[in-house]
Amino acid sequence: MKPLTRQDLVELAARPATDPPAWIRVQLDTGGIAAGAETVHAALEHARVEQHLPFALLRTGSVGYSFADPVIEVQTPLMPRVLYGRMTPELAPRLLDEHVAGRRLLDDHVIATRQRGLVLDAPVSQILVLDTGSEATNKTEFFQFSFQEELKRRGLSERVQVVRALDLGIYDEGAVVQLLPGGVTYTNVLAPDVARIVGESIEAGRVLDDLLWKTPDKQVRIVLRHCGKIDPDSTDDYLRRAEGYQAFARAVFDLTPEQVIAELKVSALRGRGGAGFPTWMKWQLTRAQPVGQRYVICNGDEGDPGAFMDRSVLESDPHAVLEGMMIAAYAMGASQGYFYIRAEYPRAVERVQLALVQARELGLLGRNILGSGFDFDAKIRLGAGAFVCGEETALIASIEGRRGSPSPRPPYPSVRGLWGKPTAINNVETLAIVPAILLRGGAWFASHGTDTSKGTKVFAVTGKVRNAQLVEVPMGTTLSEIVFDVCGGVLDGHEIKAVQTGGPSGGVIPVHLLDTPVSYETLQQLGSIMGSGGMLVMDKGDSMVEAGIQNGDIAIIKSSDTAETGEIVVALIDDTEATLKRLRKKGASIALEPANAAYETRIFGPDRVKIQGRLAGLYRRYN
Amino acid sequence: MKPSQMMSEIESEAAGLRDADEAALIEFLEKAEQKHGFIPRDISEEVGRLLEVKLERLRRIQGKLESTIRRDVQEHVNHWRSEEGNLIMVLHAIQNQHGYIPREVAMELSRELGVKLARIYEVITFYHYFKLQPPGAHSVTICNGTACYLKGSGDLINELRSQLGIVEGQTTPDRQIHFDTVRCIGCCGMAPAMVVDGRTCGRVRSSDIAGHIDGLRAKKEAVA
């Protein structure tokens, strides 16, 4: 491959690629593949060849809708672009028959667009319906039937299709209807509204203001801007369809390193790994060190259980992270970078490895990049299953080939880091944001978020939530907006109890505090942390203590043969069974209370129970 | 029994020893002792000679093993030679090759890198990912990260325990299936997740476990 020049990038910027008229993108990240995306891809390929259909079958990363994996996106002429979730290989031939050839959407798989329209400027061709109320009284089919009947009565059933949707991104708003292709959305639709919608909106093109859903989508995609849209294994896609390496070219040719740092300062971007240290300051401190070898490290040792945004970004948009690293390296004068990625993320490792090879072939890594005089290269180092290695000094020890023991700071890595040289360690998400800031400007980024926490943050919302997914929202969005409005709250018949943020070292935020806007400061005030962005939803069936005391934890017990009511104790029952329970003295008898409603409290006579000690602490090993 | 007759009998007994394995040799010696009251010199010499032949053969095999180990280790080390702090990456390469880090290989690595064996073990034992025991032919790993935990990974673990008759961290006695748990594989959106021979499965139910195990057992039979 011929090395790229500055001129090539200028031309690429002027002529971005246009999409082919018909395509299907299959989202192949680890989550999608686990759900069977590879077999879906193979079945689509097979059916495409068999039916001689002219569309491009493309591979992309994940848009983040884990709850609906495997997800595909379909664009064919004269049809709205749609996402289909919960695809199966068996559905592939039907999809091609009905959607691609027959121009009809499939029932029960469409995930509606979150970019909802407010005006009807094009004739309606499909009506998506979904009852978002209680599952027990689901009326989706009733509404589908009513709309079909109404359309038939007015002679419109040839022109307009009524489709049961899988998800509309709106929850607990009764029957919801979205009109395609414009995306006008009505909520709390009742049976009498059906005739009005068909008569006024579909026939006459008037929007019904009383039903219209005006709340704009809570999500803003900056980090995830290319995820699910481009092929992570294709530099061509990144260069032509994602403004690839334009931000880097702008930095090296048009800006001094100081100007790059100044732009970051305007953006007020803070580290997305958890602590929220201002990124510009980290770079500035590293840059201020005496001239010599400096390093930049991408921290991809995403260890918090429940967090998977770094994996998803590395798998879906690896070049963006590399470009962010290159800009960081230019700003602080580093010539060598390291990606430290967990070995448990083989696909992320694979895709970053490929991105590095491709970048080297294109002359984007190596000596005199794009003729700018700037030299830089990057390598991968694998983590090996040590939670603590997400910590900066432990991570450095691990890259140096030693056991990952943290060391006290100062000196900070920006002064004495990898092999004693000044080093800046940035999180995956932080680096993925950097090119966007350089292209759109720091002020644009800072226009999102709160006073002290700017921009957007990606959260991996999982646990007992209806729709587990990656969510990217401006800082300042409340926890309940994330959990309820974006992810649909907890499943039917369950009640939310708490949300854990920041992983094991974070905190559990009870339900009455869920209206807290998310920012570094507010979460800290609640005694939790932002962490890298894992957000675990717990419902009332899960015991808090069980979520706190896990299988394999070592309980530190203060030896004692007495204890007060309410204390957690180790008790020996009948000299045979030892158990850790909460003690309640009830008259002469002793009750041992579990911390999980699924178990029953056991009551014994005083002669059967011996107290062995009281819980004084917990010790947990992460490897 | 005449001495000459006894001698020829002993000779023929000794002659039949050539293809005997160790257990047969011991049994033969015990029988000879019972029969003659002592172990005749001819027999003891023949057994001794056979043992030496066997030992020589074993030494040759060991030499061959060692040179293979040396060659493999040298290959891995050469690939990473120019890189500072290469120990962990070399260990990854070794584990990818063997499925674990055999003691002999760690010893050879110590010689090759000029790093103390204790330091190599310090690193291996620090990182959960590196294994010192050979894994089973197949592996089943349940994710026990918080998201999977909440979604019922405990039930999956119990199901596997009862299906396989072992607890996590162990391999079935026939060395076919290794069962383990992992902290988090980043498939929280698909919780509870498990990894079967490197393939990640999401939204697993306890009732799916038997099918997965049968699948692995069938693979084993297909190979055998």
Side-chain angles (χ1 to χ4, degrees), chain B residues 131 134-141 164 166 170-172 174-180 195-198 212-224:
Chain B
K131 295 179 181 62
H138 303 289
S139 71
V140 180
T141 308
L164 297 175
I166 52 172
Q170 295 182 335
T171 306
T172 49
D174 59 358
R175 297 227 76 85
Q176 281 304 311
I177 299 176
H178 182 78
F179 165 34
D180 219 334
V195 185
V196 181
D197 276 355
H212 284 291
I213 306 256
D214 289 349
L216 289 180
R217 293 246 151 89
K219 254 203 253 177
K220 163 198 164 189
E221 273 148 30
V223 171

Side-chain angles (χ1 to χ4, degrees), chain A residues 226-242:
Chain A
H226 308 134
C227 296
K229 295 193 160 50
I230 60 166
D231 180 350
D233 291 340
S234 159
T235 23
D236 204 55
D237 249 20
Y238 187 63
L239 286 166
R240 285 173 195 279
R241 303 188 39 240

Side-chain angles (χ1 to χ4, degrees), chain B residues 157-166:
Chain B
I157 291 170
N158 285 336
E159 183 66 23
L160 268 165
R161 281 181 186 166
S162 69
Q163 293 259 345
L164 297 175
I166 52 172

